[in-house]
Amino acid sequence: MTLTDNPLLQGSEMPDFTAIRPEHVKPAIDALLAEAEAALERAVGPDVPADHDTLTLVLDVPVERLRRTWSHVNHLQAVADTPALRAAHAEALPRFTDFTTRLGADARLYAKYKAVAASPAAAEMKPAQRKALSDTLRDFVLGGADLQGAQRARYAAIQERCSALSKAFGDHVLDATDAFKLDVDEALLEGVPDDVRQAARDAAATAGVPGCRLTLQAPCYIPLMQYAGNRILREQLYRAYSTRASDIGPAELDNTELMRELLELRAEEAALLGHPSFAHLALVPKMAGTPDEVLAFVRDLARRARPAAERELAELREYASSELGLPDMQAWDRHFVAEKLKQARYDFSSQEVKRYFTEPAVLQGLFGLVETLFEVAIRPEAAPVWHESVRFFRVWRGSTPVAAFYLDPYARAGKQSGAWMDDSRARWRRPEGHLQLPVAHLICNYAPPVGGQPALLTHDDVITLFHEFGHGLHHMLTQVDELGVSGISGVEWDAVELPSQFMENFCWEWEVLQDLTRHVETGQALPRELFERMVAARHFGTGLHLLRQCEFSLFDMRLHSEAAAAGRLRLVCDEVNAELQPMRAPDFLRYPHSFGHLFDGGYAAGYYGYAWAEVLSADAYSAFEEAGIFDAATGRRFREHVLEVGGSRPAIESFRAFRGREPELEALLRHQGLT
Ligand SMILES: [Zn+2]
């Protein structure tokens, strides 16, 4: 095998996915890493002037090729995993990560980009180029490139220690979750669905014990809390779950000290970089301006959700007391009571709904909607794919191709669960001259067709498909030519869910659902009466849910913005609960100790982003509600002002350009049934 016939090394074209084998990974990544390393050395040297176009040609071309090729490997490992591919991926991963980390913190390269920004030619740059350059410089600064001497060393030490602490935090949660086992007689599992019981019986049999084995893993814990009629059992599980990795439990798995140290180190990191708190630092690349702005946003949202939450809580208490013999509803009863009330009130079977969402109708309806709103055509095309069920489509505007995407719809072995959109290739006016068009991966995991019938989607599957398609549109319809800010690149992290959550709204429109449904046997569209019940159930419990999101967001933002919060984490947690919730949490609750988003993920001082983006998407969608949801002029404005501009300007400017005003909360509250 030579490098020239390695299918991963195909220039800027999409690879032949049928031909890629695990043994292609190492030689391809090795060759591209060597090329990129050499390019970096050349780019920072005296022969390359501080000039945008030259730097792009010398450095961006090989680095883009490396990243794009690595994304193909990553992608295949996620959708068509085999032990050999996993091993090849794991072998190359540390070298890829090491290079990209060094690239992002190289002081010589930072100096070169600063010289580009200071050169007279910078004044002539197009706005998108200027935005990409300023993002690049900002990321160098956030990566500590401005620090010198002892401060630089300290910054690096903090990074290293924080990643070790985060890893340990996650390991403790995992170990504490796995350590819990409760063996019970099946008679105690009254109300629990058959498949969950079966899994518990199997777990007991595997362990060689009689009865059923219960765990804190989600597929066991969640249905137990929803359906188990035995209250003592629910309490026992709830206590175990909500005290994982805390001071109430084995000392070796207690995250208390880890959290304190992490918070202190984050505050120190922020101080080194000249910010008053970690929250201030974390907000630099985001749409939200200051911690105070976020705090005010969260408190305002909570205030508006509160009346509905109180009403919902009163309903749950009333139902618990009058129908379920639970006059003193506790935290461990809430999901159980909610499930019972929901069944009683909105009785419909998701199985029944599913028979209307046949895959060909859903895809035809989705594509038709997108074609109408955004003036494109979506046509299938033959292409080499990694599994026979994967389809390839090209997106056209008139007779001009603008993008392409792969749709990998079904769950199967060797494919990760969940759904996502991945950037396989980005739009880029390449320095060699030609325009590279964007390619997206749209990955879902709904059930494959059985018995000669088309695949059937649940309504949730349909919403997920629309969500990912929204990300895909953002990636594919971009008209930006600059690599770093085309499509979703360079979009603020708390605004990137705007197009995706926006698309979800269409799944609740009667007219859209008429085009999206065709009953698997009768061929009929969704009946109005069933639709009405789905809509009614949609708003069940939204007040309490939103308030919970606000509680997490407020806790997160206070923890990362207040001096000395590290030493009073429990107090902050209690204060936030008392401030926002109509029903106080039990004293033993220790949710922060297993809150991976904040301590083992990218959401520190960022949890508010979920609600933040939802306000934007709901408000953007309300423009369609006002003009008519199929209004072509509104669709064109959304395409031009939001989808096409990607990260080439701040998200708030795109929003204002589309909506003609600042974002407002009302649409979100209305969509959630809270007004
Ligand atoms: Zn998303």
Side-chain angles (χ1 to χ4, degrees):
M1 184 181 67
T2 64
L3 286 178
T4 45
D5 55 27
N6 188 322
L8 279 167
L9 297 172
Q10 303 293 309
S12 66
E13 287 316 300
M14 293 306 292
D16 178 352
F17 281 110
T18 56
I20 299 169
R21 302 280 171 266
E23 56 269 28
H24 293 130
V25 174
K26 185 172 162 31
I29 299 300
D30 282 351
L32 296 177
L33 269 172
E35 196 179 284
E37 289 276 7
L40 173 61
E41 288 312 309
R42 208 182 137 213
V44 299
D47 297 342
V48 173
D51 163 70
H52 173 270
D53 292 352
T54 317
L55 261 180
T56 299
L57 188 61
V58 170
L59 187 61
D60 292 354
V61 169
V63 169
E64 188 265 354
R65 191 174 180 207
L66 168 67
R67 287 189 196 277
R68 179 159 39 79
T69 306
W70 179 248
S71 93
H72 298 328
V73 176
N74 243 336
H75 169 71
L76 284 176
Q77 207 254 310
V79 295
D81 195 23
T82 61
L85 183 59
R86 186 181 295 197
H89 178 269
E91 192 275 331
L93 177 64
R95 279 174 295 133
F96 174 79
T97 311
D98 171 65
F99 174 74
T100 50
T101 309
R102 278 190 290 114
L103 185 71
D106 192 297
R108 302 164 305 168
L109 188 59
Y110 176 47
K112 184 119 318 172
Y113 280 117
K114 276 202 287 195
V116 174
S119 71
E124 311 292 306
M125 278 184 170
K126 295 184 197 120
Q129 286 180 340
R130 246 201 306 275
K131 168 70 162 47
L133 180 59
S134 84
D135 284 1
T136 301
L137 292 173
R138 177 199 68 198
D139 292 344
F140 271 110
V141 173
L142 293 178
D146 263 339
L147 299 174
Q148 309 297 331
Q151 285 198 325
R152 196 178 175 85
R154 180 61 190 151
Y155 179 85
I158 289 175
Q159 296 300 310
E160 204 180 313
R161 180 69 184 148
C162 281
S163 71
L165 287 169
S166 289
K167 173 85 170 69
F169 181 95
D171 289 348
H172 287 170
V173 176
L174 201 65
D175 291 349
T177 306
D178 288 348
F180 179 89
K181 289 165 191 74
L182 182 64
D183 297 326
V184 299
D185 193 280
E186 191 169 345
L188 292 179
L189 299 186
E190 175 260 315
V192 177
D194 286 343
D195 56 331
V196 181
R197 286 185 194 217
Q198 180 63 49
R201 271 199 303 271
D202 292 350
T206 307
V209 296
C212 290
R213 170 160 285 192
L214 306 180
T215 71
L216 299 181
Q217 314 287 354
C220 178
Y221 177 73
I222 292 170
L224 259 291
M225 296 310 290
Q226 286 174 320
Y227 299 109
N230 188 309
R231 193 184 199 193
I232 296 165
L233 190 60
R234 290 200 307 269
E235 180 176 352
Q236 206 174 353
L237 286 166
Y238 179 86
R239 279 180 184 270
Y241 188 84
S242 52
T243 57
R244 284 173 302 155
S246 76
D247 53 306
I248 308 174
E252 69 275 15
L253 298 181
D254 181 3
N255 273 334
T256 307
E257 277 308 300
L258 287 186
M259 291 151 70
R260 190 191 48 74
E261 191 184 347
L262 257 176
L263 291 168
E264 284 170 0
L265 288 173
R266 285 171 181 172
E268 188 185 345
E269 177 194 345
L272 273 175
L273 297 176
H275 293 276
S277 76
F278 181 78
H280 288 85
L281 171 65
L283 290 181
V284 170
K286 303 211 175 96
M287 180 175 166
T290 62
D292 281 346
E293 188 186 340
V294 174
L295 291 169
F297 163 75
V298 172
R299 288 193 161 111
D300 183 37
L301 194 56
R303 188 176 57 75
R304 293 164 188 254
R306 177 87 183 218
E310 281 177 354
R311 209 161 47 236
E312 289 161 13
L313 191 60
E315 281 173 2
L316 289 177
R317 283 192 167 125
E318 155 63 22
Y319 190 79
S321 171
S322 65
E323 303 296 321
L324 303 174
L326 297 169
D328 57 337
M329 187 180 75
Q330 300 294 325
W332 45 91
D333 300 322
R334 266 182 45 183
H335 290 292
F336 175 73
V337 176
E339 199 55 41
K340 287 268 188 246
L341 178 55
K342 197 172 165 181
Q343 280 169 19
R345 202 182 273 177
Y346 309 109
D347 181 41
F348 68 86
S349 138
S350 54
Q351 294 303 315
E352 180 192 349
V353 172
K354 215 175 150 173
R355 303 189 73 70
Y356 288 94
F357 289 105
T358 40
E359 191 190 33
V362 170
L363 290 181
Q364 202 186 337
L366 168 62
F367 293 173
L369 176 71
V370 166
E371 290 176 338
T372 305
L373 287 179
F374 304 126
E375 299 175 295
V376 291
I378 297 171
R379 302 278 173 263
E381 213 172 274
V385 291
W386 52 93
H387 187 270
E388 59 189 10
S389 62
V390 177
R391 283 156 259 175
F392 182 76
F393 296 89
R394 202 171 292 280
V395 183
W396 299 82
R397 168 150 305 123
S399 56
T400 312
V402 292
F405 64 93
Y406 296 87
L407 175 67
D408 183 346
Y410 310 131
R412 62 173 177 269
K415 178 175 168 185
Q416 271 174 27
S417 59
W420 64 92
M421 190 288 291
D422 216 351
D423 153 358
S424 186
R425 195 177 74 183
R427 180 180 163 108
W428 187 23
R429 178 78 57 189
R430 296 185 62 101
E432 304 95 323
H434 68 281
L435 179 64
Q436 172 174 301
L437 294 177
V439 181
H441 288 306
L442 293 164
I443 314 296
C444 294
N445 259 296
Y446 46 87
V450 283
Q453 290 184 333
L456 302 175
L457 284 74
T458 65
H459 190 235
D460 280 343
D461 290 333
V462 177
I463 293 173
T464 302
L465 174 67
F466 273 61
H467 179 104
E468 300 310 334
F469 213 85
H471 285 306
L473 290 169
H474 207 184
H475 177 62
M476 293 189 286
L477 298 189
T478 190
Q479 289 297 303
V480 175
D481 289 343
E482 190 70 13
L483 181 65
V485 290
S486 85
I488 56 173
S489 298
V491 176
E492 293 98 313
W493 177 93
D494 47 358
V496 82
E497 295 293 335
L498 194 172
S500 53
Q501 294 178 343
F502 163 84
M503 284 299 292
E504 290 181 25
N505 290 287
F506 289 102
C507 303
W508 292 101
E509 296 288 354
W510 169 245
E511 297 93 324
V512 175
L513 287 174
Q514 289 303 289
D515 288 338
L516 220 53
T517 51
R518 204 179 303 135
H519 191 277
V520 64
E521 274 130 27
T522 65
Q524 277 176 348
L526 188 76
R528 183 86 203 189
E529 175 271 337
L530 186 51
F531 170 72
E532 301 290 353
R533 275 185 290 155
M534 290 163 64
V535 171
R538 178 194 184 191
H539 293 144
F540 180 78
T542 47
L544 284 167
H545 175 76
L546 199 55
L547 214 49
R548 187 87 174 126
Q549 293 298 105
C550 291
E551 183 179 8
F552 290 154
S553 305
L554 186 58
F555 172 65
D556 169 39
M557 196 43 67
R558 283 193 55 188
L559 207 57
H560 288 104
S561 63
E562 291 175 11
R568 50 193 306 275
L569 181 141
R570 291 259 338 266
L571 267 172
V572 175
C573 184
D574 283 350
E575 287 168 9
V576 168
N577 185 257
E579 179 185 340
L580 296 193
Q581 289 289 1
M583 178 170 160
R584 291 301 310 275
D587 285 340
F588 62 79
L589 189 75
R590 297 285 189 277
Y591 76 81
H593 291 73
S594 56
F595 202 169
H597 283 79
L598 306 198
F599 298 105
D600 176 28
Y603 286 79
Y607 198 85
Y608 74 93
Y610 285 111
W612 185 273
E614 194 128 27
V615 169
L616 301 177
S617 62
D619 199 5
Y621 188 73
S622 67
F624 286 81
E625 292 173 317
E626 289 157 17
I629 55 165
F630 298 118
D631 185 61
T634 311
R636 184 176 310 137
R637 285 194 301 113
F638 188 73
R639 191 185 87 215
E640 289 175 353
H641 294 309
V642 178
L643 297 176
E644 289 186 354
V645 299
S648 69
R649 65 182 178 194
I652 186 65
E653 287 180 23
S654 299
F655 185 91
R656 281 192 204 118
F658 169 63
R659 207 65 181 90
R661 58 163 173 74
E662 299 296 315
E664 289 172 1
L665 263 180
E666 274 59 32
L668 170 69
L669 300 172
R670 182 162 45 76
H671 291 162
Q672 304 253 353
L674 299 177
T675 46

